Amino acid sequence: MASALKMQRMVGLGRALLPLQKRGSLAGQFDLHLVRFLHAGLPVLAAKEALVKLRKKTGYSFVNCKKALEKFDDVSEAEAWLHEQAQKEGWSKASKLQGRKTQEGLIGLLQEGSSAVMVEVNCETDFVARNVKFQHLIQQAAIGTMLHYQGTGDRLNTYAKCFLNSNELSQLRIGPDGSLLVDQLALAIGKLGENMVIKRAVWISVPEKFFIGSYVHGALPEGNPFLSNMMFGKYGALVICCPSEPCEKSDFAELGWRLGQHVVGMAPLSVGSLEDEPGGDSETKMLAQPFLLDPAISLGQYVRPTGVSVLDFVRFECGEDIELSPSD
C-alpha cells in the first residue's frame, strides 16, 4: 500500500514537471534530474532539502552533489566524499598547471588586537583574483599564519616580526579538522582552474603601548560578510609605531593609515631618523622622504609633532620578484 502511494506521488511529480521539460528550462531540467534521483528511495522533500543544503554548503556542482548523495544517505558523509574527490582533482590539475606564470593575485591583510598578518597569494589572471573562492584562500592563509604564532606575542617588551615563505605556509594547519593549507590550495586550483601560489606572509605583534599602522591600496569593494575581517588590494603596508605617552590606540588610527599609505606610495628601503635631512624624490629613507600627502615637508617633519616614533615597516607589492628563505 505504502509502495503504491509512493509511486503515485512520483508519477504525479513527473507529470507536473513535464511542461517544464518541454520548454527546455533549466528549472525543468533540474527538477527532472531530481525525480530520477528520488528513485533511490529517499522521501521527496528530504531528498530535495539534502541536495540543496549540500550544494549550498560545498559550492560543488549539482551533478557532483547528486552523485555524492546517491553514494551516501548521510549528508556529512556525502560532503566528506565531495571534498576528497575535489582534492584529488585539484592535485591532478595543480600538477598540470605547475610552472605557468602567476603575476596576478592579491595582498590580504588581517589585524586582530596587537597583531597583524599580511599575505600575498598569486594567480594567473585578475579575473580569478576577484573571485570570492580565491579571496577565501587568502583569508585561510592569513588566519593560519595568525594561529601559527598564537601566544608568541604575549608579554613582549618590544615588537616581533616574522616572515613565512611559500614552503612554510603550505605546511600550516588550518580549520578545526587540522587540514594543511596546501590541500586548500589544491581545492582552489581545482575549482578555479588556474595555477596559484601562496607566496609569502609576515606576522607582526607589538606590546600594549605600541600600535600598528596598516594600509591596503587598490582595495576591492566590500560586500561578502565572510571576508569582513580582511582587507584586499594590490599593495599593502604595516608600520610599527610607538607613542611617546600611553594613549588610546584609536587616537592614532588615521596617523597609522597615512604612514602605511606613504610606505605603499613612496616605497622606502629603511626607516631612517628624525634627524635626517629632508631628501628628494630619490630618497630611500622613510622619514627623510617628501611626505606623500604634502611633498613640501618630509615625513619626519609630519610625524615629529605627534610624538610618535616610527620603528619599522613592511611593504608588499603583488607580483614583485622577491625570494624569502626560512631565516628571513
Side-chain angles (χ1 to χ4, degrees), residues 211-214 248-260:
F211 70 91
I212 303 173
S214 60
E248 291 292 328
K249 293 186 179 182
S250 58
D251 295 343
F252 292 106
E254 185 176 353
L255 174 62
W257 183 82
R258 290 184 176 180
L259 291 175

Side-chain angles (χ1 to χ4, degrees), residues 151-316:
T152 307
D154 295 346
R155 297 180 297 278
L156 283 176
N157 292 321
T158 186
Y159 70 91
K161 180 177 71 172
C162 301
F163 289 92
L164 290 175
N165 61 29
S166 183
N167 291 333
E168 293 164 328
L169 284 164
S170 67
Q171 297 306 306
L172 292 182
R173 295 198 174 274
I174 58 173
D177 59 348
S179 61
L180 292 175
L181 184 58
V182 69
D183 292 330
Q184 299 304 311
L185 173 63
L187 285 173
I189 291 174
K191 288 180 178 179
L192 298 175
E194 281 194 7
N195 189 24
M196 299 176 197
V197 176
I198 303 174
K199 186 175 182 179
R200 55 177 169 165
V202 62
W203 168 84
I204 292 175
S205 189
V206 298
E208 188 62 31
K209 61 181 180 179
F210 288 34
F211 70 91
I212 303 173
S214 60
Y215 176 77
V216 173
H217 183 74
L220 298 175
E222 299 178 1
N224 192 314
F226 297 105
L227 300 172
S228 60
N229 62 339
M230 295 289 299
M231 290 192 293
F232 299 102
K234 294 294 185 180
Y235 302 82
L238 295 172
V239 185
I240 303 167
C241 304
C242 180
S244 57
E245 297 179 2
C247 56
E248 291 292 328
K249 293 186 179 182
S250 58
D251 295 343
F252 292 106
E254 185 176 353
L255 174 62
W257 183 82
R258 290 184 176 180
L259 291 175
Q261 187 181 38
H262 177 93
V263 169
V264 164
M266 299 297 289
L269 300 179
S270 62
V271 174
S273 165
L274 287 175
E275 309 308 319
D276 292 332
E277 289 293 324
D281 292 337
S282 61
E283 179 63 61
T284 60
K285 290 182 287 188
M286 178 180 174
L287 293 174
Q289 288 179 323
F291 180 35
L292 181 68
L293 300 180
D294 184 3
I297 61 173
S298 69
L299 182 68
Q301 291 170 333
Y302 168 72
V303 171
R304 188 188 294 273
T306 67
V308 169
S309 297
V310 178
L311 305 179
D312 203 350
F313 66 88
V314 179
R315 179 185 185 274
F316 278 7

Side-chain angles (χ1 to χ4, degrees), residues 163 165 168 324-328:
F163 289 92
N165 61 29
E168 293 164 328
L324 286 175
S325 66
S327 60
D328 284 336

